[in-house]
Structures are given as structure tokens and as C-alpha cells.
Amino acid sequence: MDALLFMIFAAIAVVCGISLVIQKHPISSALSLIGVMAALAALYLLLGGEFIAAAQLIVYAGAIMVLFVFVIMLLNAGTEKRGRRMLANYADLPILLLFLGIVAAFIANRMPPTEQVIFGNFKGGTALDIGRALFTTYLLPFEVTSILILIAILGAIVLARKEID
């Protein structure tokens, strides 16, 4: 049953990801991204990471996507204009498939075999484990990231502020 659910949610994530790229309207792309993130949360649940799944839904599918949609609406982005299709654009799918095949063969030959994933056997995704790792092992990168985000927010405020004459 777990393998079937994995295949279903993986297919949903892939289809929504493809839809994200090929959509012409930015709001449709944002909705497709929400579908990808919801499918990823379901995959985390299948692996036994309830906290990671909840954080995926609340932080990414909720807050970040609201911000994306707000920025799209603020910029008043319309539908992408259609351009001429050149001959080189028709060769992109076969070249992409060839590239993915080469990368997959390279990874299959170079990577050592690993043990199979057992669904629901992961026990490391609790809030206690993540909090302990975040505030002990990864404290410096966490603080550096927060300072970088603060600098980015201040930069956005400075760039968005209108000059006072």
C-alpha cells in the first residue's frame, strides 16, 4: 500500500512540476507549485516525518506561496507573450532526455548500492530532534542565515522606498 501511495504522490509532484514550468500565466504556475509542495508533504508523511510534513505545508505551501501570489499580484504580471518557435526549440526534449539518461547512468555506475527504504521506519523527524540539531550542531549556519535574511529585508526596504524630494 505504501509503494502505491508513493507512486501516486510522486506522479502528482512530477505532473504539477511539469505544469509549473509550462504554464503561461504566473498564478497558474504558483498554484502548480502549491500542488508540488502538498505532494512532497504527503511523501514526507509516508516516510514517517510528520513534523517535516507539517512544516512543509505551513511554511512553504502556506506562507511562502501567499508571498509569491502577493508579489505576482503586486507586479500585475500578465500572460507570457508567445514568440516564434525556432527549429532549435524542437530539439530540446530529445536533448533533455539524452542528458538525463547520461546523468542517470553516471550516478548508477558511481554510487554504491544502498539499503532499501522501508516506509514509516524513519524516526528522526520529530520537533525535539530538529530543534536539538538546529540549536547545537547547526547553530552557526542558522544564525548566519537569519542575519542574511535580515540584510535582504533591509535591502528590499531601501530599494522599494521612494526618494523624498
Side-chain angles (χ1 to χ4, degrees):
M1 182 65 178
D2 286 333
L4 178 65
L5 287 174
F6 174 80
M7 292 294 184
I8 290 170
F9 287 118
I12 290 171
V14 168
V15 168
C16 287
I18 292 170
S19 173
L20 168 76
V21 174
I22 65 172
Q23 288 294 328
K24 300 291 183 199
H25 199 273
I27 294 293
S28 300
S29 292
L31 292 174
S32 295
L33 188 57
I34 292 173
V36 170
M37 291 181 186
L40 286 177
L43 291 173
Y44 289 144
L45 277 176
L46 285 174
L47 290 173
E50 293 88 8
F51 180 78
I52 299 171
Q56 174 78 20
L57 282 177
I58 293 169
V59 173
Y60 290 108
I64 300 296
M65 290 312 302
V66 166
L67 179 67
F68 280 6
V69 171
F70 176 72
V71 168
I72 290 169
M73 294 295 192
L74 185 67
L75 293 176
N76 198 13
T79 307
E80 180 180 326
K81 292 178 178 50
R82 284 207 135 171
R84 277 189 1 200
R85 251 338 250 171
M86 297 174 62
L87 182 60
N89 290 343
Y90 290 110
D92 53 3
L93 183 63
I95 291 172
L96 175 67
L97 292 176
L98 177 68
F99 175 72
L100 290 177
I102 291 170
V103 168
F106 181 76
I107 290 173
N109 289 335
R110 296 283 183 184
M111 297 299 289
T114 58
E115 56 188 74
Q116 190 173 6
V117 173
I118 299 171
F119 290 105
N121 208 21
F122 178 69
K123 303 294 183 214
T126 64
L128 176 67
D129 294 334
I130 292 173
R132 186 169 285 141
L134 188 62
F135 292 113
T136 57
T137 308
Y138 301 108
L139 182 62
L140 181 64
F142 178 71
E143 291 298 327
V144 169
T145 303
S146 67
I147 290 171
L148 286 175
I149 290 173
L150 179 63
I151 292 170
I153 290 171
L154 291 175
I157 290 171
V158 168
L159 290 174
R161 187 183 65 182
K162 294 182 181 183
E163 289 188 30
I164 301 172
D165 291 329

